[in-house]
Amino acid sequence: MENREVTFGAFLDIVGAFDSTSLDIIPRAAKWHGLGDMICQWIIRLLGGRKIAAMLAGKTLERSLARCYPQGAILSPLLWGLVDKLIGGLNENSFYTVGCADDTAIVFSAEST
């Protein structure tokens, strides 16, 4: 039986990625990636001070967000990319990995015997 190259793929969706990411990690990741202080401060102002509100029976309950950044916002995939080290780590180890926000595709080839 001859050897041949076989390609495999895995497709990931990180559940709760946007909901469980701490807001302070994103500006720290931006700074780690070399973005300037002005951009980091802009990200802090963009994400900070956000509130959610719910109304029931004429009463409004309002809370500040300590976690969760806007899913579906135009900047969300970019902000997630600052935090996500999975893609870079896999690409450094002979995998072909691409992603958009919390969705990732990992492709690799191996010899079949």
Side-chain angles (χ1 to χ4, degrees):
M1 185 172 220
E2 77 180 63
N3 289 353
R4 61 187 179 131
E5 189 172 288
V6 179
T7 303
F8 300 93
F11 303 91
L12 310 174
D13 181 0
I14 301 171
V15 176
F18 288 90
D19 296 336
S20 60
T21 301
S22 174
L23 295 177
D24 66 331
I25 195 86
I26 298 166
R28 286 190 299 171
K31 191 162 198 77
W32 183 85
H33 281 283
L35 296 178
D37 288 337
M38 188 166 68
I39 296 292
C40 294
Q41 288 301 314
W42 180 80
I43 292 170
I44 290 169
R45 284 193 293 278
L46 174 73
L47 299 175
R50 293 179 37 243
K51 296 180 180 187
I52 58 170
M55 182 182 278
L56 180 62
K59 294 188 178 188
T60 301
L61 179 64
E62 187 174 279
R63 294 286 185 254
S64 296
L65 296 173
R67 296 187 168 279
C68 183
Y69 60 96
Q71 185 169 358
I74 196 132
L75 283 178
S76 295
L78 174 66
L79 295 174
W80 178 255
L82 293 172
V83 176
D84 186 14
K85 294 184 180 180
L86 174 67
I87 292 172
L90 288 169
N91 284 339
E92 290 173 3
N93 288 290
S94 302
F95 292 92
Y96 175 71
T97 311
V98 293
C100 180
D102 62 341
D103 298 314
T104 304
I106 306 164
V107 179
F108 62 97
S109 295
E111 294 242 346
S112 169
T113 56

PDB file of all heavy atoms in Angstrom, residues 18 26 29-30 33 35 39 42-43 46 69-70 73-84 99-102:
ATOM      1  N   PHE A  18     -17.847  35.852  23.413  1.00  0.00           N
ATOM      2  CA  PHE A  18     -18.134  37.272  23.574  1.00  0.00           C
ATOM      3  C   PHE A  18     -18.723  37.566  24.957  1.00  0.00           C
ATOM      4  O   PHE A  18     -18.444  38.595  25.552  1.00  0.00           O
ATOM      5  CB  PHE A  18     -19.102  37.741  22.485  1.00  0.00           C
ATOM      6  CG  PHE A  18     -18.468  37.826  21.132  1.00  0.00           C
ATOM      7  CD1 PHE A  18     -18.478  36.736  20.283  1.00  0.00           C
ATOM      8  CD2 PHE A  18     -17.856  38.985  20.711  1.00  0.00           C
ATOM      9  CE1 PHE A  18     -17.900  36.809  19.031  1.00  0.00           C
ATOM     10  CE2 PHE A  18     -17.265  39.074  19.461  1.00  0.00           C
ATOM     11  CZ  PHE A  18     -17.283  37.978  18.618  1.00  0.00           C
ATOM     12  N   ILE A  26      -9.211  43.174  26.704  1.00  0.00           N
ATOM     13  CA  ILE A  26      -9.104  43.636  25.323  1.00  0.00           C
ATOM     14  C   ILE A  26      -8.118  44.795  25.192  1.00  0.00           C
ATOM     15  O   ILE A  26      -7.210  44.737  24.358  1.00  0.00           O
ATOM     16  CB  ILE A  26     -10.493  43.975  24.749  1.00  0.00           C
ATOM     17  CG1 ILE A  26     -11.339  42.693  24.739  1.00  0.00           C
ATOM     18  CG2 ILE A  26     -10.384  44.561  23.346  1.00  0.00           C
ATOM     19  CD1 ILE A  26     -12.804  42.934  24.527  1.00  0.00           C
ATOM     20  N   ALA A  29      -4.622  43.388  25.635  1.00  0.00           N
ATOM     21  CA  ALA A  29      -4.177  42.665  24.445  1.00  0.00           C
ATOM     22  C   ALA A  29      -3.785  43.644  23.338  1.00  0.00           C
ATOM     23  O   ALA A  29      -2.802  43.423  22.620  1.00  0.00           O
ATOM     24  CB  ALA A  29      -5.276  41.720  23.956  1.00  0.00           C
ATOM     25  N   ALA A  30      -4.532  44.728  23.203  1.00  0.00           N
ATOM     26  CA  ALA A  30      -4.207  45.743  22.195  1.00  0.00           C
ATOM     27  C   ALA A  30      -2.828  46.328  22.469  1.00  0.00           C
ATOM     28  O   ALA A  30      -2.025  46.517  21.547  1.00  0.00           O
ATOM     29  CB  ALA A  30      -5.275  46.837  22.192  1.00  0.00           C
ATOM     30  N   HIS A  33      -0.113  43.919  21.543  1.00  0.00           N
ATOM     31  CA  HIS A  33       0.086  43.858  20.093  1.00  0.00           C
ATOM     32  C   HIS A  33       0.753  45.123  19.551  1.00  0.00           C
ATOM     33  O   HIS A  33       0.968  45.230  18.342  1.00  0.00           O
ATOM     34  CB  HIS A  33      -1.246  43.635  19.374  1.00  0.00           C
ATOM     35  CG  HIS A  33      -1.719  42.215  19.408  1.00  0.00           C
ATOM     36  ND1 HIS A  33      -1.186  41.234  18.607  1.00  0.00           N
ATOM     37  CD2 HIS A  33      -2.671  41.608  20.152  1.00  0.00           C
ATOM     38  CE1 HIS A  33      -1.788  40.083  18.853  1.00  0.00           C
ATOM     39  NE2 HIS A  33      -2.690  40.283  19.784  1.00  0.00           N
ATOM     40  N   LEU A  35      -0.401  48.368  19.819  1.00  0.00           N
ATOM     41  CA  LEU A  35      -1.251  49.510  19.491  1.00  0.00           C
ATOM     42  C   LEU A  35      -0.966  50.642  20.471  1.00  0.00           C
ATOM     43  O   LEU A  35      -0.695  50.417  21.644  1.00  0.00           O
ATOM     44  CB  LEU A  35      -2.722  49.115  19.545  1.00  0.00           C
ATOM     45  CG  LEU A  35      -3.154  48.059  18.520  1.00  0.00           C
ATOM     46  CD1 LEU A  35      -4.605  47.715  18.701  1.00  0.00           C
ATOM     47  CD2 LEU A  35      -2.900  48.532  17.103  1.00  0.00           C
ATOM     48  N   ILE A  39      -5.252  54.513  20.928  1.00  0.00           N
ATOM     49  CA  ILE A  39      -6.169  53.461  20.477  1.00  0.00           C
ATOM     50  C   ILE A  39      -6.660  52.649  21.677  1.00  0.00           C
ATOM     51  O   ILE A  39      -7.852  52.323  21.777  1.00  0.00           O
ATOM     52  CB  ILE A  39      -5.483  52.533  19.455  1.00  0.00           C
ATOM     53  CG1 ILE A  39      -5.119  53.302  18.190  1.00  0.00           C
ATOM     54  CG2 ILE A  39      -6.370  51.329  19.127  1.00  0.00           C
ATOM     55  CD1 ILE A  39      -6.299  53.771  17.372  1.00  0.00           C
ATOM     56  N   TRP A  42      -9.224  54.563  23.488  1.00  0.00           N
ATOM     57  CA  TRP A  42     -10.461  54.579  22.703  1.00  0.00           C
ATOM     58  C   TRP A  42     -11.233  53.285  22.909  1.00  0.00           C
ATOM     59  O   TRP A  42     -12.458  53.309  23.070  1.00  0.00           O
ATOM     60  CB  TRP A  42     -10.117  54.796  21.227  1.00  0.00           C
ATOM     61  CG  TRP A  42     -11.315  54.817  20.341  1.00  0.00           C
ATOM     62  CD1 TRP A  42     -12.172  55.867  20.138  1.00  0.00           C
ATOM     63  CD2 TRP A  42     -11.813  53.728  19.565  1.00  0.00           C
ATOM     64  NE1 TRP A  42     -13.169  55.483  19.264  1.00  0.00           N
ATOM     65  CE2 TRP A  42     -12.975  54.194  18.890  1.00  0.00           C
ATOM     66  CE3 TRP A  42     -11.396  52.420  19.345  1.00  0.00           C
ATOM     67  CZ2 TRP A  42     -13.707  53.392  18.040  1.00  0.00           C
ATOM     68  CZ3 TRP A  42     -12.135  51.620  18.490  1.00  0.00           C
ATOM     69  CH2 TRP A  42     -13.274  52.106  17.846  1.00  0.00           C
ATOM     70  N   ILE A  43     -10.532  52.138  22.924  1.00  0.00           N
ATOM     71  CA  ILE A  43     -11.194  50.851  23.153  1.00  0.00           C
ATOM     72  C   ILE A  43     -11.822  50.823  24.542  1.00  0.00           C
ATOM     73  O   ILE A  43     -12.958  50.371  24.718  1.00  0.00           O
ATOM     74  CB  ILE A  43     -10.202  49.675  22.969  1.00  0.00           C
ATOM     75  CG1 ILE A  43      -9.802  49.556  21.495  1.00  0.00           C
ATOM     76  CG2 ILE A  43     -10.802  48.368  23.471  1.00  0.00           C
ATOM     77  CD1 ILE A  43      -8.665  48.589  21.245  1.00  0.00           C
ATOM     78  N   LEU A  46     -14.887  52.885  24.434  1.00  0.00           N
ATOM     79  CA  LEU A  46     -15.898  52.214  23.607  1.00  0.00           C
ATOM     80  C   LEU A  46     -16.629  51.146  24.415  1.00  0.00           C
ATOM     81  O   LEU A  46     -17.852  51.026  24.354  1.00  0.00           O
ATOM     82  CB  LEU A  46     -15.232  51.576  22.384  1.00  0.00           C
ATOM     83  CG  LEU A  46     -16.121  50.715  21.490  1.00  0.00           C
ATOM     84  CD1 LEU A  46     -17.066  51.599  20.693  1.00  0.00           C
ATOM     85  CD2 LEU A  46     -15.269  49.865  20.558  1.00  0.00           C
ATOM     86  N   TYR A  69     -18.611  41.857  25.409  1.00  0.00           N
ATOM     87  CA  TYR A  69     -18.555  42.962  24.468  1.00  0.00           C
ATOM     88  C   TYR A  69     -19.480  42.657  23.315  1.00  0.00           C
ATOM     89  O   TYR A  69     -19.918  41.530  23.138  1.00  0.00           O
ATOM     90  CB  TYR A  69     -17.121  43.299  24.054  1.00  0.00           C
ATOM     91  CG  TYR A  69     -16.314  42.234  23.389  1.00  0.00           C
ATOM     92  CD1 TYR A  69     -16.220  42.176  22.011  1.00  0.00           C
ATOM     93  CD2 TYR A  69     -15.607  41.303  24.131  1.00  0.00           C
ATOM     94  CE1 TYR A  69     -15.455  41.225  21.396  1.00  0.00           C
ATOM     95  CE2 TYR A  69     -14.831  40.350  23.514  1.00  0.00           C
ATOM     96  CZ  TYR A  69     -14.758  40.323  22.150  1.00  0.00           C
ATOM     97  OH  TYR A  69     -13.996  39.384  21.531  1.00  0.00           O
ATOM     98  N   PRO A  70     -19.843  43.689  22.568  1.00  0.00           N
ATOM     99  CA  PRO A  70     -20.954  43.554  21.627  1.00  0.00           C
ATOM    100  C   PRO A  70     -20.714  42.523  20.530  1.00  0.00           C
ATOM    101  O   PRO A  70     -19.832  42.675  19.713  1.00  0.00           O
ATOM    102  CB  PRO A  70     -21.100  44.946  21.028  1.00  0.00           C
ATOM    103  CG  PRO A  70     -19.935  45.733  21.467  1.00  0.00           C
ATOM    104  CD  PRO A  70     -19.232  44.994  22.531  1.00  0.00           C
ATOM    105  N   ALA A  73     -21.309  43.498  16.463  1.00  0.00           N
ATOM    106  CA  ALA A  73     -20.824  44.837  16.127  1.00  0.00           C
ATOM    107  C   ALA A  73     -19.720  44.718  15.086  1.00  0.00           C
ATOM    108  O   ALA A  73     -19.025  43.706  15.009  1.00  0.00           O
ATOM    109  CB  ALA A  73     -20.305  45.547  17.378  1.00  0.00           C
ATOM    110  N   ILE A  74     -19.545  45.740  14.304  1.00  0.00           N
ATOM    111  CA  ILE A  74     -18.583  45.674  13.208  1.00  0.00           C
ATOM    112  C   ILE A  74     -17.152  45.485  13.704  1.00  0.00           C
ATOM    113  O   ILE A  74     -16.332  44.860  13.039  1.00  0.00           O
ATOM    114  CB  ILE A  74     -18.710  46.911  12.302  1.00  0.00           C
ATOM    115  CG1 ILE A  74     -18.014  46.671  10.977  1.00  0.00           C
ATOM    116  CG2 ILE A  74     -18.172  48.146  12.950  1.00  0.00           C
ATOM    117  CD1 ILE A  74     -18.811  47.025   9.798  1.00  0.00           C
ATOM    118  N   LEU A  75     -16.825  45.971  14.891  1.00  0.00           N
ATOM    119  CA  LEU A  75     -15.467  45.835  15.429  1.00  0.00           C
ATOM    120  C   LEU A  75     -15.254  44.556  16.230  1.00  0.00           C
ATOM    121  O   LEU A  75     -14.122  44.233  16.573  1.00  0.00           O
ATOM    122  CB  LEU A  75     -15.131  47.033  16.323  1.00  0.00           C
ATOM    123  CG  LEU A  75     -14.780  48.315  15.625  1.00  0.00           C
ATOM    124  CD1 LEU A  75     -14.514  49.422  16.645  1.00  0.00           C
ATOM    125  CD2 LEU A  75     -13.574  48.147  14.719  1.00  0.00           C
ATOM    126  N   SER A  76     -16.300  43.816  16.526  1.00  0.00           N
ATOM    127  CA  SER A  76     -16.162  42.638  17.392  1.00  0.00           C
ATOM    128  C   SER A  76     -15.166  41.602  16.878  1.00  0.00           C
ATOM    129  O   SER A  76     -14.343  41.119  17.658  1.00  0.00           O
ATOM    130  CB  SER A  76     -17.521  42.010  17.655  1.00  0.00           C
ATOM    131  OG  SER A  76     -18.314  42.909  18.399  1.00  0.00           O
ATOM    132  N   PRO A  77     -15.172  41.233  15.594  1.00  0.00           N
ATOM    133  CA  PRO A  77     -14.154  40.268  15.135  1.00  0.00           C
ATOM    134  C   PRO A  77     -12.729  40.781  15.316  1.00  0.00           C
ATOM    135  O   PRO A  77     -11.826  40.041  15.691  1.00  0.00           O
ATOM    136  CB  PRO A  77     -14.479  40.070  13.652  1.00  0.00           C
ATOM    137  CG  PRO A  77     -15.921  40.410  13.541  1.00  0.00           C
ATOM    138  CD  PRO A  77     -16.143  41.516  14.539  1.00  0.00           C
ATOM    139  N   LEU A  78     -12.520  42.079  15.079  1.00  0.00           N
ATOM    140  CA  LEU A  78     -11.192  42.659  15.268  1.00  0.00           C
ATOM    141  C   LEU A  78     -10.791  42.622  16.740  1.00  0.00           C
ATOM    142  O   LEU A  78      -9.672  42.231  17.085  1.00  0.00           O
ATOM    143  CB  LEU A  78     -11.160  44.101  14.754  1.00  0.00           C
ATOM    144  CG  LEU A  78      -9.863  44.856  15.020  1.00  0.00           C
ATOM    145  CD1 LEU A  78      -8.710  44.234  14.241  1.00  0.00           C
ATOM    146  CD2 LEU A  78     -10.026  46.314  14.674  1.00  0.00           C
ATOM    147  N   LEU A  79     -11.707  42.995  17.618  1.00  0.00           N
ATOM    148  CA  LEU A  79     -11.403  42.981  19.053  1.00  0.00           C
ATOM    149  C   LEU A  79     -11.128  41.564  19.536  1.00  0.00           C
ATOM    150  O   LEU A  79     -10.216  41.332  20.334  1.00  0.00           O
ATOM    151  CB  LEU A  79     -12.543  43.615  19.848  1.00  0.00           C
ATOM    152  CG  LEU A  79     -12.780  45.104  19.597  1.00  0.00           C
ATOM    153  CD1 LEU A  79     -14.024  45.566  20.333  1.00  0.00           C
ATOM    154  CD2 LEU A  79     -11.576  45.931  19.988  1.00  0.00           C
ATOM    155  N   TRP A  80     -11.909  40.590  19.063  1.00  0.00           N
ATOM    156  CA  TRP A  80     -11.665  39.197  19.453  1.00  0.00           C
ATOM    157  C   TRP A  80     -10.293  38.741  18.958  1.00  0.00           C
ATOM    158  O   TRP A  80      -9.572  38.026  19.637  1.00  0.00           O
ATOM    159  CB  TRP A  80     -12.760  38.279  18.932  1.00  0.00           C
ATOM    160  CG  TRP A  80     -12.483  36.865  19.280  1.00  0.00           C
ATOM    161  CD1 TRP A  80     -12.041  35.887  18.442  1.00  0.00           C
ATOM    162  CD2 TRP A  80     -12.572  36.264  20.567  1.00  0.00           C
ATOM    163  NE1 TRP A  80     -11.858  34.713  19.127  1.00  0.00           N
ATOM    164  CE2 TRP A  80     -12.176  34.923  20.435  1.00  0.00           C
ATOM    165  CE3 TRP A  80     -12.950  36.745  21.830  1.00  0.00           C
ATOM    166  CZ2 TRP A  80     -12.148  34.048  21.507  1.00  0.00           C
ATOM    167  CZ3 TRP A  80     -12.930  35.868  22.894  1.00  0.00           C
ATOM    168  CH2 TRP A  80     -12.536  34.542  22.723  1.00  0.00           C
ATOM    169  N   GLY A  81      -9.921  39.174  17.754  1.00  0.00           N
ATOM    170  CA  GLY A  81      -8.618  38.816  17.198  1.00  0.00           C
ATOM    171  C   GLY A  81      -7.453  39.291  18.042  1.00  0.00           C
ATOM    172  O   GLY A  81      -6.389  38.666  18.074  1.00  0.00           O
ATOM    173  N   LEU A  82      -7.624  40.387  18.763  1.00  0.00           N
ATOM    174  CA  LEU A  82      -6.573  40.869  19.660  1.00  0.00           C
ATOM    175  C   LEU A  82      -6.358  39.917  20.824  1.00  0.00           C
ATOM    176  O   LEU A  82      -5.248  39.749  21.317  1.00  0.00           O
ATOM    177  CB  LEU A  82      -6.933  42.261  20.203  1.00  0.00           C
ATOM    178  CG  LEU A  82      -6.964  43.402  19.209  1.00  0.00           C
ATOM    179  CD1 LEU A  82      -7.527  44.652  19.872  1.00  0.00           C
ATOM    180  CD2 LEU A  82      -5.592  43.652  18.627  1.00  0.00           C
ATOM    181  N   VAL A  83      -7.426  39.298  21.280  1.00  0.00           N
ATOM    182  CA  VAL A  83      -7.388  38.440  22.460  1.00  0.00           C
ATOM    183  C   VAL A  83      -7.006  37.009  22.106  1.00  0.00           C
ATOM    184  O   VAL A  83      -6.316  36.327  22.856  1.00  0.00           O
ATOM    185  CB  VAL A  83      -8.775  38.453  23.161  1.00  0.00           C
ATOM    186  CG1 VAL A  83      -8.809  37.499  24.325  1.00  0.00           C
ATOM    187  CG2 VAL A  83      -9.126  39.857  23.600  1.00  0.00           C
ATOM    188  N   ASP A  84      -7.434  36.532  20.950  1.00  0.00           N
ATOM    189  CA  ASP A  84      -7.302  35.128  20.572  1.00  0.00           C
ATOM    190  C   ASP A  84      -5.866  34.774  20.172  1.00  0.00           C
ATOM    191  O   ASP A  84      -5.367  35.268  19.181  1.00  0.00           O
ATOM    192  CB  ASP A  84      -8.258  34.826  19.420  1.00  0.00           C
ATOM    193  CG  ASP A  84      -8.309  33.357  19.054  1.00  0.00           C
ATOM    194  OD1 ASP A  84      -7.818  32.537  19.841  1.00  0.00           O
ATOM    195  OD2 ASP A  84      -8.847  33.041  17.992  1.00  0.00           O
ATOM    196  N   GLY A  99      -9.572  32.286  11.069  1.00  0.00           N
ATOM    197  CA  GLY A  99     -10.718  32.496  11.926  1.00  0.00           C
ATOM    198  C   GLY A  99     -11.362  33.841  11.688  1.00  0.00           C
ATOM    199  O   GLY A  99     -10.767  34.739  11.099  1.00  0.00           O
ATOM    200  N   CYS A 100     -12.571  33.929  12.135  1.00  0.00           N
ATOM    201  CA  CYS A 100     -13.300  35.184  12.156  1.00  0.00           C
ATOM    202  C   CYS A 100     -14.047  35.219  13.475  1.00  0.00           C
ATOM    203  O   CYS A 100     -14.900  34.353  13.734  1.00  0.00           O
ATOM    204  CB  CYS A 100     -14.262  35.293  10.985  1.00  0.00           C
ATOM    205  SG  CYS A 100     -15.177  36.853  11.005  1.00  0.00           S
ATOM    206  N   ALA A 101     -13.679  36.173  14.297  1.00  0.00           N
ATOM    207  CA  ALA A 101     -14.243  36.282  15.643  1.00  0.00           C
ATOM    208  C   ALA A 101     -14.029  34.961  16.378  1.00  0.00           C
ATOM    209  O   ALA A 101     -12.912  34.474  16.438  1.00  0.00           O
ATOM    210  CB  ALA A 101     -15.696  36.708  15.597  1.00  0.00           C
ATOM    211  N   ASP A 102     -15.076  34.355  16.898  1.00  0.00           N
ATOM    212  CA  ASP A 102     -14.918  33.141  17.706  1.00  0.00           C
ATOM    213  C   ASP A 102     -15.064  31.853  16.891  1.00  0.00           C
ATOM    214  O   ASP A 102     -15.143  30.773  17.451  1.00  0.00           O
ATOM    215  CB  ASP A 102     -15.887  33.147  18.879  1.00  0.00           C
ATOM    216  CG  ASP A 102     -17.344  33.163  18.441  1.00  0.00           C
ATOM    217  OD1 ASP A 102     -17.612  33.517  17.277  1.00  0.00           O
ATOM    218  OD2 ASP A 102     -18.204  32.833  19.261  1.00  0.00           O
TER     219      ASP A 102
END
